[in-house]
Amino acid sequence: MPSIKKEYFIAVSPRVLWEAITNCTMLNGWGAGPDPIMDMQEGGEFSLWGGSIHGKNLEFDEEWRLVQEWITEGYDYPTEVTIALKPSEEDGEEGTALTIIQTDVREDDVEEFDRGWDDFYVGPLKEFCEQQT
């Protein structure tokens, strides 16, 4: 099955970005609520957007890498999502290179999932984080 790889630059430190993707208060702040759940231990459950995306945290390396099994409402199969953060600089501005890899995506769903990363996850996340600094 196909994979999706997305790369972004967000003008905040990896620590700030990590908090925004793992801390329930921060998740709610950028729109991944209502009432997000993020149990940050291997095998711990998470739930975003009112449960329309949920699954398990498979592994993580604090502030650098998070691997999750995503189950998306309306789709009858799970995908694996790896979120990686790395200190970076773009146009003289320090920040974080964010890489997202989603594997096991059905061919018919690639375009929709690809667009979803921009419109619903990273777009609001970037705007929220960069306004915090």
Side-chain angles (χ1 to χ4, degrees), residues 17-77:
L17 190 54
W18 179 262
E19 285 296 313
I21 63 175
T22 61
N23 176 290
C24 289
T25 301
M26 298 283 281
L27 283 161
N28 203 45
W30 60 266
D35 303 320
I37 297 168
M38 186 63 68
D39 181 354
M40 285 306 298
Q41 56 185 319
E42 289 185 18
E45 295 185 4
F46 74 93
S47 175
L48 307 173
W49 294 283
S52 64
I53 293 177
H54 62 278
K56 293 181 184 168
N57 291 315
L58 302 176
E59 57 186 86
F60 63 93
D61 182 7
E62 184 104 10
E63 290 186 39
W64 305 112
R65 185 170 170 269
L66 175 62
V67 181
Q68 299 175 311
E69 176 189 67
W70 278 42
I71 300 168
T72 305
E73 184 177 62
Y75 298 87
D76 62 352
Y77 65 97

